[in-house]
Amino acid sequence: MHIGCPREVKPQEFRVGLTPQAAHEAVHHGHQVTVETGAGVGAGFADDDYLAAGAQIADSAAEVWERADLVIKVKEPQAEEIPLLRPGQVLFAYLHLAPDPALTRALTASGATCIAYETVTGAHGGLPLLAPMSEVAGRLAPQVGAWAMQRANGGCGVLLGGVPGVRPANVLIIGGGVVGTAAARVSAGMSANVTVVDRSLSRLNYLDDIFMGRLITQFADSATIAELLPQADLVIGAVLVPGASTPRLVRREQLAGMRAGSVLVDVAVDQGGCFETSRPTTHEDPIYEVDGVLHYCVSNMPGAVSRTSTLALGNATLPFLLALADKGWQRACRDDIHLSHGVNIHAGHVTHAAVAAAQGLEFEPADRIIAA
Ligand SMILES: NC(=O)c1ccc[n+]([C@@H]2O[C@H](COP(=O)([O-])OP(=O)(O)OC[C@H]3O[C@@H](n4cnc5c(N)ncnc54)[C@H](O)[C@@H]3O)[C@@H](O)[C@H]2O)c1
């Protein structure tokens, strides 16, 4: 199989779909690999790293798309990439099609098979190709929150870990899933006072067990959140209701009761956000202030640490990439029902129930095509 990896063209996207390590594995499995020149630069990988791994370097994206049977990338194809897709080709990337009818139409018209990272499921539950990015964003949230709390950045001037004789920051984490747990780990590791609220009692049990008294867990009813907000220096929004917009758990009028210069980091802003006052921001201009409270609402936080994010994503995608390349997508999906859940589009048909339902489109079950 010929695997291709073009450079990402979405603005501010510094990750790359294939690491040199993954390229090396693919070559070792007997596949040909072509990477667009400069594709890895944003993540700290030079063309020479790919050449050393046994890959070839192409001068243009068009050359990569033309050669490849299987294209691996990070973000959904952009306008200039769509015409490069062809019938029979396999695309493996984040697609997020449900809210995007235009992209769904374009990918359907391409005739290609499009496998979306975000709908591949895990044998033990969860979404294994989304989780690494939640791990990154969760660990990054206290880091950016601590930076925003610095006085020169407009914050309250509180040091996350405090010092002997001076209390540390109070960190409130709303939602104790992958993001929330990672945020709790880093906050607690930096000696903050950490409280995690969630509506899942099993999740609170789990957190209580693994942190062994290092944080407080509370049930996430609105009265508890209202009581905790005025004491918090840093609030991290990490809620997810699968398939739905994030519930707004902090209303604008509640900001008035918070400390001046306290910070809200809304990791969940990509799904609408947990705070009424959240709106997506970018890495160039990440912070804004509402009623004396700073908001950090970057919707692609992992992009800030493109090297770590690329390596983490590469670790997660590699087994699926190898299965797709070694067996061909149909047999790989027949052998692994979780990978088959990633097939969103095939040969002009929408093959994912949720994508079809979100857009009122006809749905051709992927398992029927895979069995054929
Ligand atoms: N901004 C970014 O760059 C970025 C990066 C990665 C993930 N995210 C987003 O972070 C969010 C969290 O992702 P995750 O992987 O941790 O999800 P997850 O499913 O692992 O965790 C979500 C948690 O929210 C809890 N929850 C649901 N409703 C709640 C409520 N009303 N009150 C309190 N808790 C509630 C759930 O019980 C669960 O424990 C998602 O919206 C995800 O898209 C954003």
Side-chain angles (χ1 to χ4, degrees):
M1 176 118 12
H2 201 129
I3 300 169
C5 177
R7 189 173 54 81
E8 294 296 318
V9 289
K10 190 164 181 167
Q12 294 299 312
E13 181 51 68
F14 299 112
R15 290 172 291 176
V16 60
L18 192 75
T19 61
Q21 293 87 334
H24 184 271
E25 291 256 353
V27 170
H28 189 67
H29 277 235
H31 305 296
Q32 279 184 281
V33 176
T34 299
V35 178
E36 184 182 349
T37 183
V41 165
F45 301 121
D47 287 356
D48 282 348
D49 297 326
Y50 290 99
L51 287 170
Q56 299 156 46
I57 299 295
D59 288 337
S60 68
E63 214 179 314
V64 174
W65 287 87
E66 196 185 306
R67 285 192 207 170
D69 308 306
L70 166 57
V71 174
I72 182 159
K73 61 193 298 319
V74 180
K75 297 305 280 186
E76 69 281 358
Q78 304 298 294
E80 63 264 51
E81 295 178 309
I82 303 270
L84 302 174
L85 270 159
R86 62 167 186 272
Q89 197 168 41
V90 177
L91 171 68
F92 193 35
Y94 286 120
L95 296 178
H96 296 288
L97 292 180
D100 196 341
L103 182 62
T104 306
R105 267 195 306 276
L107 293 183
T108 309
S110 77
T113 300
C114 303
I115 306 178
Y117 292 163
E118 70 276 5
T119 63
V120 173
T121 50
H124 307 290
L127 302 167
L129 301 186
L130 266 190
M133 295 305 99
S134 289
E135 290 280 0
V136 170
R139 280 169 162 77
L140 198 54
Q143 193 173 312
V144 296
W147 177 83
M149 280 196 295
Q150 292 173 26
R151 191 73 191 142
N153 300 322
C156 51
V158 172
L159 179 64
L160 198 65
V163 291
V166 183
R167 73 158 180 88
N170 293 328
V171 177
L172 169 62
I173 299 172
I174 307 180
V178 180
V179 167
T181 304
R185 188 185 304 272
V186 170
S187 303
M190 290 173 82
S191 303
N193 282 329
V194 184
T195 302
V196 180
V197 299
D198 200 297
R199 290 184 90 87
S200 157
L201 287 179
S202 62
R203 203 61 204 170
L204 294 179
N205 259 310
Y206 168 78
L207 290 167
D208 188 64
D209 271 352
I210 60 163
F211 282 94
M212 294 198 298
R214 189 56 198 82
L215 55 71
I216 294 168
T217 59
Q218 289 196 244
F219 189 72
D221 54 56
S222 50
T224 300
I225 293 174
E227 193 184 308
L228 291 169
L229 282 174
Q231 303 156 33
D233 301 292
L234 169 60
V235 184
I236 296 173
V239 164
L240 176 66
V241 179
S245 293
T246 316
R248 296 293 168 110
L249 300 174
V250 175
R251 296 184 312 281
R252 178 166 186 167
E253 60 264 31
Q254 293 179 291
L255 301 189
M258 294 185 67
R259 294 192 172 117
S262 52
V263 174
L264 304 181
V265 175
D266 201 346
V267 184
V269 70
D270 62 336
Q271 299 285 338
C274 325
F275 312 124
E276 189 183 355
T277 42
S278 293
R279 58 171 168 80
T281 59
T282 61
H283 291 293
E284 295 84 71
D285 192 10
I287 287 178
Y288 61 96
E289 183 242 301
V290 179
D291 299 340
V293 175
L294 297 193
H295 292 54
Y296 175 101
C297 299
V298 173
S299 51
N300 63 332
M301 291 175 68
V305 286
S306 50
R307 187 171 175 91
T308 302
S309 299
T310 293
L311 288 165
L313 182 61
N315 293 342
T317 54
L318 181 63
F320 298 107
L321 174 71
L322 291 177
L324 290 167
D326 291 351
K327 303 176 179 181
W329 77 272
Q330 275 176 296
R331 188 154 74 81
C333 289
R334 266 201 299 277
D335 289 355
D336 180 356
I337 188 173
H338 297 290
L339 177 57
S340 77
H341 293 153
V343 183
N344 279 216
I345 286 177
H346 170 67
H349 302 284
V350 175
T351 53
H352 194 277
V355 174
Q359 297 179 26
L361 296 171
E362 268 185 45
F363 161 60
E364 176 78 27
D367 32 352
R368 201 180 298 163
I369 297 161
I370 291 159

